[in-house]
Amino acid sequence: MTDTGRKGAGQQLQEKVTPDSQKSAVDKLSENVSGTVDKGLGAVQPESEKSTTQKLSDSTRSNADSAQNQGKTWTQSAQETASGVAQKASDTLNQAADYIKGTAGNTGAGSTK
């Protein structure tokens, strides 16, 4: 699930894999405008307010954009994107585990929660 007003990973992927030759001028313009808006929204929205899927989507897009801007090969881009997504997922899971550990000790007879 994506955050309100944001592009989902599926929509971003679809736009990336569809060749420009198969897109109308309106489709290309729409993708450019909505992509720019989505990047802007992603930049100003605090990480703490993003859903897990939106964090992964933003991370993937950021890594892909960086690779494209630097002229890297597709293989390098895919490796970096996968690495970035895996790191972001690992960080999110670690945060969840820390949260659970922190709340697990606060249950029982003497708990204030």
Side-chain angles (χ1 to χ4, degrees):
M1 176 163 212
T2 59
D3 296 346
T4 305
R6 302 292 311 281
K7 280 187 177 185
Q11 183 180 2
Q12 291 179 34
L13 178 63
Q14 181 64 35
E15 291 174 357
K16 293 287 185 187
V17 299
T18 303
D20 282 343
S21 62
Q22 294 180 6
K23 297 176 187 177
S24 70
V26 172
D27 289 339
K28 291 177 189 177
L29 179 61
S30 175
E31 284 180 16
N32 285 336
V33 169
S34 64
T36 301
V37 169
D38 189 62
K39 286 178 189 178
L41 290 172
V44 298
Q45 183 180 14
E47 288 291 315
S48 61
E49 294 180 11
K50 293 180 184 180
S51 66
T52 301
T53 54
Q54 198 63 59
K55 288 178 186 178
L56 293 172
S57 181
D58 287 353
S59 175
T60 300
R61 171 183 273 180
S62 176
N63 288 337
D65 288 348
S66 294
Q68 186 176 24
N69 290 338
Q70 295 173 12
K72 294 184 178 179
T73 66
W74 182 87
T75 303
Q76 288 171 318
S77 174
Q79 289 172 340
E80 288 180 4
T81 299
S83 176
V85 168
Q87 183 61 50
K88 193 63 143 178
S90 175
D91 291 346
T92 301
L93 289 172
N94 285 334
Q95 289 172 353
D98 289 345
Y99 174 79
I100 291 168
K101 287 178 193 173
T103 59
N106 294 329
T107 60
S111 176
T112 58
K113 289 193 173 189

